């Protein structure tokens, strides 16, 4: 009888644990933070501030959720924040690449104009 | 009783488990809005040409995110989790597009670098071409200038030579002129010394009768200074020849006088031959009492008529005849 009760309680708790991961997602927090840092290093603060702000907001909100004991919400927010930060990084890099490309195109055109003018002389 | 209770609890337990599982599961996978959203996001990345070319890894990440979404939906996970995976898929798809665009831009920058180098290279080659043409033109000009300079130099040298020649000629002429002047002066001096007279026939030297004794044709010895001077003069001017003419006064017969005048002229000629003058340069004539230079009525006049005239030719050897 006692053993049966014990098994029952254990089973219940196992099923409950399966849905609600109780421990604080420290690793995810770290991952999200380092993604933010990488994005900033890529120039996100300047070139993709919108995505960066969203990511930072989500990290802050995840902190609140952890404090409130809503670990699952925090985990999801952190997952999203990480990809937001990665998108911020990719977008920052792309914005700069496009600017560089435009600059190179203009310089090539200027060069072409100049050499053709020289040729004309 | 205890068994009953246990069975009851077991049933409750089973129901709780079912309920919990049900809460996690829900809508069929294909209709799950999260899955639909994730598939749309993945497809938009997969069909993007730039993504296919430049962002294969990012596309695979998107695919993994989609699979996570589908797995979560199929496993009946919390819909919030499914939606989070779907969100991640959409972000991954966007990351793939951004990455692809970025890499395409970098590729174009690389291409442009080559293009720029080609343009610069062509420009430089053109400039080199211009420079070569310019250099060639400059060299041609330099050669032309050098030729002109050489020409000018040789002309200058020729002019200098000509000037030198002209100077030399002038000097020569001046020397010759000086010499001629000297000769003329010397001649004048000697003529003056001979006491010869310039007449239309040339220089005429009159040897008075003081050279001869009366009725004699021999030159008086010791009074031959005039003859010596004449011989010297003829040595100095070898082109000149002499005409020696003898004259008498009117006393005595004409034939005798003619003979006497001829002999006296011959005597002068002989005296000159003795002093080294070539006989071929002289001719002696006797005119007797012809061509008197003074009256034969007085002694003084007769004395003047008794004479030998030596006519000295010019440098061409001409003597106009009487």
């Amino acid at each position: 009888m006692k053993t049966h009760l014990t098994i029952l309680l254990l089973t219940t708790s196992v099923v409950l644990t399966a849905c609600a991961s109780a421990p604080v997602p420290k690793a995810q927090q770290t991952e999200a933070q380092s993604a933010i840092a990488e994005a900033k290093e890529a120039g996100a603060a300047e070139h993709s501030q919108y995505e960066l702000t969203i990511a930072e907001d989500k990290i802050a909100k995840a902190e609140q959720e952890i404090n409130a004991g809503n670990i699952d919400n925090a985990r999801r927010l952190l997952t999203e924040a990480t990809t937001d930060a990665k998108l911020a990084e990719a977008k920052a890099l792309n914005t700069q690449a496009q600017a560089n490309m435009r600059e190179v195109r203009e310089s090539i055109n200027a060069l072409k104009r100049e050499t053709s003018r020289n040729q004309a002389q | 009783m205890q068994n009953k209770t246990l069975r009851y609890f077991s049933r409750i337990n089973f129901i709780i488990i079912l309920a919990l599982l049900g809460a996690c599961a829900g809508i069929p996978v294909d209709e799950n809005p999260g899955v639909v959203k994730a598939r749309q996001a993945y497809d938009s990345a997969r069909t993007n040409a730039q993504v296919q070319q430049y962002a294969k890894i990012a596309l695979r990440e998107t695919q993994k995110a989609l699979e996570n979404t589908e797995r979560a939906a199929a496993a009946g996970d919390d819909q919030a989790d499914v939606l989070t995976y779907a969100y991640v898929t959409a972000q991954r798809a966007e990351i793939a597009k951004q990455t692809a665009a970025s890499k395409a831009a970098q590729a174009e920058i690389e291409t442009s670098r080559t293009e720029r180098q080609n343009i610069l290279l062509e420009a430089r080659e053109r400039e080199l071409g211009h420079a070569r043409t310019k250099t060639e033109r400059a060299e041609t000009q330099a050669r032309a200038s050098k030729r002109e300079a050489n020409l000018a130099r040789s002309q200058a040298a020729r002019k200098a030579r000509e000037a030198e020649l002209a100077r030399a000629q002038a000097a020569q002429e001046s020397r010759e002129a000086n010499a001629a002047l000297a000769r003329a002066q010397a001649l004048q001096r000697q003529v003056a010394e001979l006491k010869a007279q310039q007449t239309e026939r040339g220089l005429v030297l009159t040897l008075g009768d003081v050279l001869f004794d009366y009725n004699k044709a021999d030159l008086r010895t010791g009074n031959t200074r005039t003859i010596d001077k004449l011989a010297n003069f003829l040595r100095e001017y070898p082109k000149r020849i002499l005409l020696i003419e003898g004259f008498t006064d009117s006393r005595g017969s004409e034939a005798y006088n003619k003979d006497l005048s001829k002999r006296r002229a011959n005597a002068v000629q002989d005296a000159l031959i003795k002093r080294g003058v070539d006989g071929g340069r002289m001719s002696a004539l006797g005119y007797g009492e012809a061509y008197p230079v003074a009256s034969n009525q007085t002694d003084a006049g007769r004395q003047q008529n008794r004479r030998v005239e030596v006519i000295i030719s010019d440098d061409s050897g001409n003597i106009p005849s009487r």
Side-chain angles (χ1 to χ4, degrees), chain A residues 78-90:
Chain A
L78 289 172
T79 301
E80 288 188 11
T82 303
T83 41
D84 288 338
K86 285 187 174 166
L87 176 58
E89 182 187 358

Side-chain angles (χ1 to χ4, degrees), chain B residues 53-223:
Chain B
Q53 190 181 350
Y54 293 111
K56 292 200 179 89
I57 293 169
L59 184 61
R60 197 147 55 239
E61 295 286 320
T62 314
Q63 196 182 358
K64 278 183 196 163
L66 172 61
E67 285 164 6
N68 286 340
T69 314
E70 288 169 339
R71 201 180 299 122
D77 283 359
D78 190 337
Q79 182 61 17
D81 282 332
V82 175
L83 289 177
T84 293
Y85 288 133
Y87 180 84
V88 169
T89 309
Q91 296 296 79
R92 286 279 176 200
E94 188 57 27
I95 289 169
K97 287 176 195 170
Q98 294 284 341
T99 305
S102 174
K103 290 207 175 142
Q106 278 165 353
E108 188 181 324
I109 288 168
E110 279 303 312
T111 314
S112 300
R113 197 165 290 150
T114 316
E115 190 184 355
R116 177 203 260 122
Q117 279 170 350
N118 286 340
I119 290 170
L120 287 174
L121 204 66
E122 280 169 23
R124 196 154 47 232
E125 276 168 8
R126 264 199 306 276
E127 274 170 27
L128 278 178
H130 284 318
R132 218 173 4 250
T133 317
K134 259 187 217 166
T135 310
E136 279 165 12
R137 210 175 297 145
E139 280 170 359
T140 312
Q141 279 175 347
R143 275 197 296 275
S145 309
K146 204 173 168 187
R147 268 200 303 278
E148 280 167 22
N150 283 341
L151 201 64
R153 214 173 11 251
S154 62
Q155 278 175 344
R158 194 166 59 237
K159 274 183 188 159
R161 273 198 305 278
E162 283 170 358
E164 180 59 34
L165 204 64
R167 224 179 356 261
Q169 278 174 346
Q172 176 69 23
E173 278 164 16
S174 153
R175 270 195 303 279
E176 281 171 10
N178 284 341
L181 187 64
R183 272 198 306 278
Q185 284 171 346
L187 176 62
Q188 232 164 23
R189 250 195 329 273
Q190 281 164 327
V191 166
E193 217 157 293
L194 282 173
K195 297 189 173 69
Q197 302 225 311
Q198 192 70 48
T199 72
E200 64 248 31
R201 296 183 71 200
L203 279 173
V204 175
L205 177 65
T206 302
L207 304 174
D209 68 338
V210 288
L211 284 176
F212 302 98
D213 287 327
Y214 175 69
N215 211 18
K216 289 272 175 67
D218 304 319
L219 282 170
R220 278 185 188 161
T221 54
N223 199 1

Side-chain angles (χ1 to χ4, degrees), chain A residues 13-79:
Chain A
S13 64
V14 163
V15 168
L16 283 170
T17 343
C19 269
S21 41
V24 175
K26 278 276 175 205
Q28 273 190 298
Q29 274 183 308
T30 312
E31 191 187 358
Q33 294 288 4
S34 66
I36 293 268
E38 276 170 36
K40 281 183 177 169
E41 205 168 307
E46 191 187 344
H47 301 291
S48 48
Q49 210 186 353
Y50 176 72
E51 286 80 3
L52 186 67
T53 308
I54 288 176
E56 283 172 335
D57 286 352
K58 283 178 180 170
I59 287 173
K61 209 171 169 208
E63 189 72 35
Q64 290 170 9
E65 294 284 355
I66 287 166
N67 291 337
N70 303 324
I71 301 303
D72 282 348
N73 281 349
R75 189 176 42 78
R76 283 190 285 268
L77 284 167
L78 289 172
T79 301

Side-chain angles (χ1 to χ4, degrees), chain B residues 267-279:
Chain B
V268 171
Q269 184 175 9
D270 289 344
L272 287 170
I273 287 169
K274 265 184 203 159
R275 284 164 177 80
V277 180
D278 179 8

Side-chain angles (χ1 to χ4, degrees), chain B residues 286-301:
Chain B
Y287 284 105
E289 52 190 76
Y291 308 113
V293 290
S295 169
N296 276 310
Q297 303 305 312
T298 61
D299 280 347

